[in-house]
Amino acid sequence: MIGKKMEDALNKQVNAEFYSEFLYLSMSADFASKTFDGFAQWFKVQAEEENSHAMKFYKHIIERGGKVRLAEIAAPKLSWKTPLEAAEDAYAHEQKVTAMINKLVETAQEEKDYAALEMLQWFVKEQVEEEANSSKMTEQLKMIGESVGGIFQIDHILGKRKNG
Ligand code: FEO
């Protein structure tokens, strides 16, 4: 049975992961409206991944006999001036999520919740990848600067991303 403190903390993370889904879906929609179809595809797949993160926490709470409490999800930003601005926002967001996951690990340690600690290890590893992806996109976009050809080349590569 999960303790109240851990249950509350994991419920907050369910909300945060759904917010991440909204944020990336909003980026995807914005890119699609600007005919950056590759960026739109990449962020749509990213949004789907965030949904699966939320559901991992959701499943864990239920399996441990806890109560899932879904709450209001904040509205994300709707528009980004450039692909670089979106990539920088994504990277900054993932750094925040990493800090949240680390905090959850600390709470699980304090609560001696070994089941939560075990589940959270997956997220600790996942955040390394999440930060690396958005950081790489940011660096590549910085390198190509204003080059339209370069941006369309990245758009083409990003469009190959598939779910799973
Ligand atoms: Fe669920 Fe992008 O971290």
Side-chain angles (χ1 to χ4, degrees):
M1 181 86 188
I2 196 165
K4 180 84 176 88
K5 192 169 173 192
M6 201 70 234
E7 183 193 280
D8 286 349
L10 293 181
N11 266 305
K12 279 202 187 105
Q13 195 61 30
V14 169
N15 189 271
E17 299 290 344
F18 279 131
Y19 173 77
S20 298
E21 180 185 7
F22 267 33
L23 176 66
Y24 295 134
L25 200 55
S26 188
M27 285 183 183
S28 178
D30 189 41
F31 280 126
S33 74
K34 291 165 181 162
T35 71
F36 284 122
D37 294 344
F39 281 96
Q41 166 68 9
W42 196 93
F43 279 105
K44 186 168 155 287
V45 173
Q46 186 60 32
E48 286 162 5
E49 234 184 54
E50 297 300 348
N51 182 281
S52 77
H53 293 172
M55 294 309 290
K56 272 186 203 289
F57 285 111
Y58 171 105
K59 187 164 172 271
H60 183 85
I61 296 167
I62 291 176
E63 280 177 351
R64 305 273 315 280
K67 171 86 184 144
V68 168
R69 291 188 180 81
L70 297 178
E72 193 175 1
I73 301 163
K77 189 166 152 179
L78 300 179
S79 181
W80 286 264
K81 285 191 196 78
T82 60
L84 176 59
E85 188 183 290
E88 283 175 333
D89 277 8
Y91 183 38
H93 181 68
E94 288 305 331
Q95 288 174 288
K96 267 193 228 160
V97 174
T98 299
M100 288 177 203
I101 299 293
N102 290 345
K103 192 90 192 72
L104 286 171
V105 169
E106 283 169 29
T107 304
Q109 281 166 340
E110 284 160 18
E111 296 293 298
K112 297 190 172 23
D113 186 334
Y114 301 108
L117 263 180
E118 166 68 20
M119 180 271 296
L120 286 163
Q121 287 315 302
W122 185 90
F123 283 95
V124 170
K125 278 195 227 129
E126 176 70 5
Q127 280 313 117
V128 174
E129 194 186 309
E130 294 282 82
E131 282 196 35
N133 286 343
S134 47
S135 164
K136 184 175 163 193
M137 189 190 291
T138 303
E139 289 312 309
Q140 286 179 339
L141 287 166
K142 275 186 189 161
M143 262 190 280
I144 60 166
E146 308 273 289
S147 157
V148 176
I151 292 177
F152 277 103
Q153 203 176 344
I154 292 183
D155 187 66
H156 180 72
I157 294 164
L158 294 178
K160 296 183 194 299
R161 185 178 184 188
K162 303 253 185 300
N163 200 347

